[in-house]
Amino acid sequence: MSAAGEDVDRRAGAGRTLPPFDARQLQRRLSLDAAIFWLVGAAVVASFIVAVWLHERHAILAVLPAALLLASWLGLNLLSASASRELPMIAAMAAEDPAAAERRLGALMRRPGLLSWVRLMLYHRLAVLRHRQHEFNESAAICAAVLARRLGPASGARAHLLLLLVEASLERGDLLSAYTGLTELHRRRLGLVESIQRLALQTRYCLVADQPAQALGELPRRIELAEILPAPQSGALHAMLARAADLVGQEAWARWLWARAELLCGPEQFARHREGQFGANVVETIEPDTGM
């Protein structure tokens, strides 16, 4: 991890309301959630079994607590459903009002008895928030912890988590984690935008790993795909390709790519790219398709 990455994390951490991410706390919360569901479910089943065994005149005495326990179990599911419906709103809040998004995440995370995939998606939103705040150490740690678990109905978010992890790893100078994430992304079936984001991150990886020639394979196709991205991300990808063309001596391509990047980027962004500073602006932290 680079010292620059640590400095960025310290600066961006000012004013936050949630404590630093702790994978052990995530494990404790998931274990508590599972224990609550298992205990309530087992109690419901036991109560109905007792009701069947009791004499008819006493059955109502057993059915009543069984019904109450069943209502509790359904209530837990409703709490999870309510939290899942807030996920898109929190994703939007992360861009417009990060402090409000963090407060809402904190309130939802404190709920006991959430379904595991719902709790993991809350942490996904926290990773998105930290990524936007350029707290890449924490963003990478959250992504790695969530990716290590079964996402169930939210498995469609795995690609977005991997993209966040790769970009955060590149910002931290962790090439091994970036390479591992890119390898996993190549094994997955991705949508068009995710495929282009992977291409952009792979291009940046090639530059950092001193492999510029690999960044220029099928260059016309790469340029065609780059044009699909929003202007800032498209400009960044054109600039990375231009940098790679400079390094391998393809001057004609380099001139054209730099000119195209200048049209797509703002003056400050283009100046940073000219200095080889590409920054974390490739992964579009939009609401992912979770497949639900």
Side-chain angles (χ1 to χ4, degrees), residues 156-171:
R158 187 170 293 275
H160 191 252
L161 284 159
L162 284 165
L163 290 165
L164 287 172
L165 176 59
V166 170
E167 187 165 69
S169 298
L170 288 170
E171 286 292 321

Side-chain angles (χ1 to χ4, degrees), residues 258-281:
W258 280 123
R260 184 63 181 153
E262 188 172 12
L263 287 173
L264 292 165
C265 300
E268 293 183 3
Q269 182 188 0
F270 181 72
R272 290 195 302 271
H273 293 340
R274 264 300 193 181
E275 296 174 1
Q277 301 174 16
F278 298 105
N281 62 352

Side-chain angles (χ1 to χ4, degrees), residues 45-93:
V45 172
S47 296
F48 277 106
I49 291 175
V50 170
V52 172
W53 284 352
L54 284 177
H55 190 273
E56 181 178 349
R57 65 180 179 177
H58 298 298
I60 188 64
L61 299 178
V63 169
L64 181 59
L68 292 175
L69 287 167
L70 179 59
S72 299
W73 187 83
L74 292 174
L76 290 174
N77 282 274
L78 287 175
L79 281 176
S80 292
S82 173
S84 70
R85 285 194 295 269
E86 292 195 46
L87 292 172
M89 179 189 70
I90 292 172
M93 290 171 63

Side-chain angles (χ1 to χ4, degrees), residues 114-271:
L114 293 176
L115 292 169
S116 63
W117 70 265
V118 174
R119 187 169 296 284
L120 291 171
M121 286 301 93
L122 291 174
Y123 276 89
H124 174 207
R125 296 311 187 274
L126 181 58
V128 170
L129 180 61
R130 294 292 179 251
H131 203 84
R132 287 185 179 275
Q133 295 169 331
H134 289 191
E135 296 191 35
F136 299 113
N137 295 326
E138 189 164 350
S139 173
I142 297 170
C143 289
V146 174
L147 285 165
R149 303 181 182 278
R150 292 175 60 88
L151 298 181
S155 59
R158 187 170 293 275
H160 191 252
L161 284 159
L162 284 165
L163 290 165
L164 287 172
L165 176 59
V166 170
E167 187 165 69
S169 298
L170 288 170
E171 286 292 321
R172 299 167 64 238
D174 184 355
L175 293 187
L176 178 58
S177 294
Y179 176 81
T180 302
L182 286 168
T183 301
E184 179 63 25
L185 282 166
H186 276 282
R187 295 185 183 134
R188 300 189 62 81
R189 189 172 184 176
L190 304 178
L192 177 60
V193 173
E194 291 171 335
S195 297
I196 301 171
Q197 291 169 345
R198 179 188 63 190
L199 172 64
L201 292 175
Q202 182 177 344
T203 302
R204 186 176 175 192
Y205 173 85
C206 290
L207 289 175
V208 176
D210 196 23
Q211 300 170 354
Q214 293 188 21
L216 298 174
E218 298 182 345
L219 184 54
R221 175 61 175 163
R222 290 175 184 248
I223 294 170
E224 180 182 348
L225 292 173
E227 298 290 348
I228 299 175
L229 289 170
Q233 288 77 31
S234 179
L237 182 48
H238 278 84
M240 285 188 281
L241 293 171
R243 182 76 170 175
D246 277 336
L247 291 172
V248 299
Q250 295 190 20
E251 297 179 1
W253 272 118
R255 285 194 300 271
W256 186 90
L257 288 163
W258 280 123
R260 184 63 181 153
E262 188 172 12
L263 287 173
L264 292 165
C265 300
E268 293 183 3
Q269 182 188 0
F270 181 72

